[in-house]
Amino acid sequence: MSNYHIKHLEEYYKVYRKSVREPEIFWEEIAEEHFSWHKKWDKVLEWDFTKPEIKWFQGAKLNITENCIDRHLRTKGDKTAILFEPNDPNEKAEHISYKQLYERVNQFANVLKDQGIKKGDRVCIYLPMIPELAIALLACARIGAIHSVVFAGFSATALSTRINDSDCRIVITSDGSYRGAKTIDLKGIVDDALVDCPGVKTCLVAKRIHSKITMKEGRDKWLQPLLDNASKNCEPEIMDAEDPLFILYTSGSTGKPKGMVHTTAGYMVYTAYTFKNVFNYKDNDVYWCTADIGWITGHSYIVYGPLANGATTVMFEGVPSYPDFGRFWAIINKHNVNQFYTAPTAIRALAKQSLDLVNQHDLSSLKVLGSVGEPINEEAWHWYNDNIGQKKSPIIDSWWQTETGGIMISPLPYVTPTIPTYATLPLPGIQPCLMNEDALEIKGNQVEGRLCIKYPWPSIARTIWGNHKRYKDTYFSAYDKMYFTGDGALRDAVGYYRITGRVDDVVIVSGHNLGTAPIEDAINEHPAVAESAIVGFPHDIKGNALYGYVILKDVGTDRNHDNLRKEINQIITEHIGPIAKLDKIQFTSGLPKTRSGKIMRRILRKIARNDTKDLGDTSTLLNPEVVQEIMDNALR
Ligand code: PRX
């Protein structure tokens, strides 16, 4: 028998040791007992981090939607699978049972088939947080199509780049979306994007805000009538364990976004196992993750992980501030939420509001509080613990990444004693280590270094779509035979991990990964801009915000700087999306550069964070005089 659900600390250590000593036996037992397969695997794991190549459960045949839906029908057909809470609190919440989900996924799958979509085709999904979004993912998986969800806050340019990178045939969107008191013209964004996407022949449009939109003849089709006419039965496509399930883009420190490819069996096993343990999910619990399905957190812990466990998963369309800053707490109260999973940036924003907005609501249903996406600072941790959990619900500070597919380092509730700001211990199967600047492993405790993982786990991304070399260079080249996370971490006296933040040029703003180079590329397209450099600096709600240093082409230009700042942020909004806007823009005559022409970002980071007492060694700078100028004019 596998130890599927870990219940106390001693058991955790025992299971963890087994998972390291006998990883294949460990995962095989879990896979055997808790999932349904058309055919079992020939080999549990084959791997080589130098190529890199990772294969889990090779030879196995399955369909993930049978595991997420069909196999629950007999015992849980009437149980709510997806509980949809609309943006407007006066609109009725929708309870979609497993049986209804089965029918709706099959109808959607049949619609995709009718549009000519088949196994292996890429389907771009650009939808707000409405049930059709989760259903679209599952419909793709039903027929073996590879979904590529693009977060509906990305701009038309960002969308078209992603559509073209993975050569999507079809886009699924809606007429628009609600965001608090505002509406957003999603279809208009898609129309703009598709001008640059000759490969897209079809666009399916869900009706949500009932706005007037233009439908392009031959390309655009309303989704609902097609669904209404589709059969509620759709035989699942039998997939190989290593067939791609989805592509999800994440930004890198340089270049275009990376389409991380996740495959079927390992991803299913790992997200299901971690969901059960990290949230201590029990059969009648109501679980709510506030992420958007456009990010990995939503894929793994709104859709696949919960549904594979037959859970009730809440999908919330709106924002935490509408109609007031008590909305999250009102929803917990209304639906008796037991597990609540959110991001530190939301906690910090809500902690700034009056406590009355919390105390009006009964939060006694809560049993587990989760945090994800960025380090949670001590103040936010305590506020969350004291006011939301009332010191009764353990806080699960879960560390992981788009690339890891599932939670890697995290306390287990009621098992692992928590310490604020610590993600604590690796989950079973995860072998983290810390590396020093000389690429040597730092052994022992009370040490700090770069976080790597030594051994494969089932949900690791297998490649970057269309660019395996980049996958190797980004994750497997910094350290020999190791997956490099890009994060720094420390390990304390008892072996707990604390994530200290990115060590590359990715800045996490409000929990969103933003590579600085693509934003610089966008800014440099402004006709007045000669060059730019962007760094992060601490921000009390967003965690980090962006600070841009910009050299204008025509020094001494009398153009209004405030207008230029607006135009620069407008360009960023158009190229990437509003999430990447700069908080501060300083115009400067130069940037500190080494003799080889590299911008010394270390100095710019220190100036942005107003920490200029010791700028470190500047002797290799080509233009040291510019540092004083930048410091004198720094924006505070
Ligand atoms: O820097 C780490 C940070 O978020 C990065 C991954 O971002 P993304 O791929 O967008 O996935 C976010 C959701 C899984 C990591 O490299 N991060 C994530 N969780 C934590 C964290 N930093 C500190 N503590 C966390 N709990």
Side-chain angles (χ1 to χ4, degrees), residues 450-622:
R450 296 181 170 212
L451 181 63
C452 290
I453 316 287
K454 282 182 183 181
Y455 197 86
W457 62 100
S459 65
I460 182 175
R462 305 299 197 257
T463 190
I464 292 173
W465 183 265
N467 199 344
H468 197 65
K469 180 172 182 302
R470 188 174 180 200
Y471 175 67
K472 177 175 173 163
D473 292 347
T474 311
Y475 304 107
F476 297 92
S477 299
Y479 304 101
D480 191 31
K481 300 194 183 74
M482 302 253 176
Y483 167 80
F484 174 45
T485 63
D487 282 327
L490 59 83
R491 189 165 52 221
D492 77 355
V494 295
Y496 274 18
Y497 286 87
R498 175 186 187 178
I499 311 302
T500 49
R502 299 292 307 182
V503 294
D504 56 9
D505 290 327
V506 170
V507 184
I508 305 204
V509 179
S510 300
H512 303 314
N513 264 8
L514 297 172
T516 50
I519 309 175
E520 289 162 7
D521 291 346
I523 298 181
N524 296 348
E525 292 208 0
H526 189 289
V529 171
E531 200 182 354
S532 61
I534 292 170
V535 295
F537 70 100
H539 184 282
D540 66 349
I541 291 182
K542 301 189 212 179
N544 295 293
L546 298 174
Y547 191 121
Y549 299 90
V550 175
I551 305 177
L552 294 175
K553 272 186 188 148
D554 188 6
V555 188
T557 175
D558 51 6
R559 287 212 46 193
N560 180 308
H561 279 186
D562 282 337
N563 285 347
L564 274 173
R565 287 190 178 97
K566 279 193 197 124
E567 287 169 25
I568 286 171
N569 269 331
Q570 183 55 30
I571 284 209
I572 295 174
T573 304
E574 283 160 17
H575 278 70
I576 299 160
I579 49 177
K581 284 203 283 196
L582 308 183
D583 272 37
K584 293 182 183 170
I585 300 176
Q586 176 179 351
F587 296 105
T588 171
S589 69
L591 294 166
K593 287 193 179 166
T594 62
R595 283 172 214 287
S596 59
K598 237 179 126 193
I599 298 171
M600 219 186 248
R601 286 168 193 277
R602 176 170 59 75
I603 294 177
L604 296 176
R605 268 187 220 115
K606 286 201 159 207
I607 297 174
R609 54 176 64 210
N610 201 7
D611 166 24
T612 50
K613 272 203 201 82
D614 175 17
L615 288 179
D617 181 14
T618 52
S619 63
T620 56
L621 280 183
L622 193 64

Side-chain angles (χ1 to χ4, degrees), residues 250 296-297 371-375 397-403 485 487 499 502 508 511 513:
T250 183
I296 191 71
T297 308
S371 169
V372 62
E374 56 184 313
D397 178 359
S398 61
W399 172 84
W400 58 297
Q401 308 177 295
T402 305
E403 295 85 339
T485 63
D487 282 327
I499 311 302
R502 299 292 307 182
I508 305 204
N513 264 8

